[in-house]
Amino acid sequence: AGTAGPESVGSGAGSSSAYSGGGGAGAAAGEADRAAREASAAYQADAEAWVARRESEEALALERQRVAAREASQRKLRKQQAERVAEVRGNDKAAATEAKEADKVRRNFTRKWESRANTMQLPAALRAFGIDVEGGGGAGPSGVHEKPTAAALRKAYRQAVLRFHPDRQSAASSVRERVEAEEKFKIITRKMDEW
């Protein structure tokens, strides 16, 4: 009668009320713990959402930079192409103008020299174009015109080729100088072939 049995330990009225009060505090602590976990989860979700937004914004900014760089590159390329087209058109126009001028100079030169060149021998043609031919410069002691030697003519011809060959004319020389040199070269070469 003085000892309590195992049934009375957990089933007493006082013990029931202690558990119910302890259960209320435990429930409140559990509720607070659950609320803290939810708040932590919400904070974690907000942080992850912020990181995701930030990464998305950075990716979008990088893509905008790439697009801007690509567009700038394309604008630069289009500008260079337009400049090149303008340059080619300008060169074509300059070349056409130069070709017209060259034709005019060629016609004038041909008109002036064609009939004279047909009657000249190689030494006379060389002298007419300012190439010195040794020997045969005038009448000899007997009053007869001396003929230049073959070696003297070859030497004078080489000088003429060096002076008048079209490949030896500088780009800095005028169209007139280049065309006249070319025409003189043609006449002298023809005269050398005839000689």
Side-chain angles (χ1 to χ4, degrees):
T3 61
E7 328 54 66
S8 67
V9 172
S11 63
S15 123
S16 162
S17 68
Y19 278 120
S20 70
E31 183 68 28
D33 191 35
R34 185 179 60 78
R37 281 193 308 268
E38 286 177 0
S40 176
Y43 175 79
Q44 184 68 27
D46 285 347
E48 289 174 359
W50 182 84
V51 168
R53 274 195 311 273
R54 183 77 176 145
E55 288 174 350
S56 175
E57 289 170 357
E58 287 174 357
L60 188 58
L62 277 172
E63 184 59 29
R64 285 185 187 134
Q65 286 177 349
R66 284 190 205 114
V67 168
R70 188 172 35 244
E71 288 174 352
S73 175
Q74 289 173 348
R75 280 193 304 271
K76 182 179 177 183
L77 182 61
R78 283 192 298 269
K79 181 181 176 186
Q80 288 173 341
Q81 288 172 338
E83 289 171 353
R84 182 66 181 131
V85 166
E87 180 184 343
V88 167
R89 286 183 181 155
N91 288 346
D92 288 348
K93 192 173 187 177
T97 303
E98 189 173 305
K100 284 181 184 178
E101 185 179 347
D103 286 341
K104 183 179 176 182
V105 170
R106 191 170 282 113
R107 281 192 308 270
N108 289 340
F109 184 87
T110 303
R111 196 174 319 128
K112 178 180 177 182
W113 285 96
E114 190 64 34
S115 61
R116 290 163 74 182
N118 287 336
T119 60
M120 289 183 187
Q121 296 288 324
L122 178 60
L126 289 168
R127 286 188 193 102
F129 296 140
I131 304 295
D132 187 36
V133 180
E134 295 175 6
S142 61
V144 178
H145 283 287
E146 297 178 3
K147 284 188 160 185
T149 64
L153 282 175
R154 280 193 297 272
K155 181 179 177 185
Y157 175 74
R158 279 193 301 272
Q159 288 175 353
V161 167
L162 290 174
R163 186 185 213 179
F164 299 125
H165 195 282
D167 292 343
R168 306 244 336 158
Q169 302 305 309
S170 70
S173 58
S174 70
V175 174
R176 175 184 240 36
E177 291 169 344
R178 288 193 309 262
V179 171
E180 286 182 357
E182 180 182 342
E183 293 302 316
K184 289 174 184 179
F185 176 77
K186 288 177 185 177
I187 291 172
I188 291 171
T189 303
R190 189 175 72 228
K191 293 299 174 181
M192 184 64 172
D193 291 341
E194 292 171 3
W195 180 68

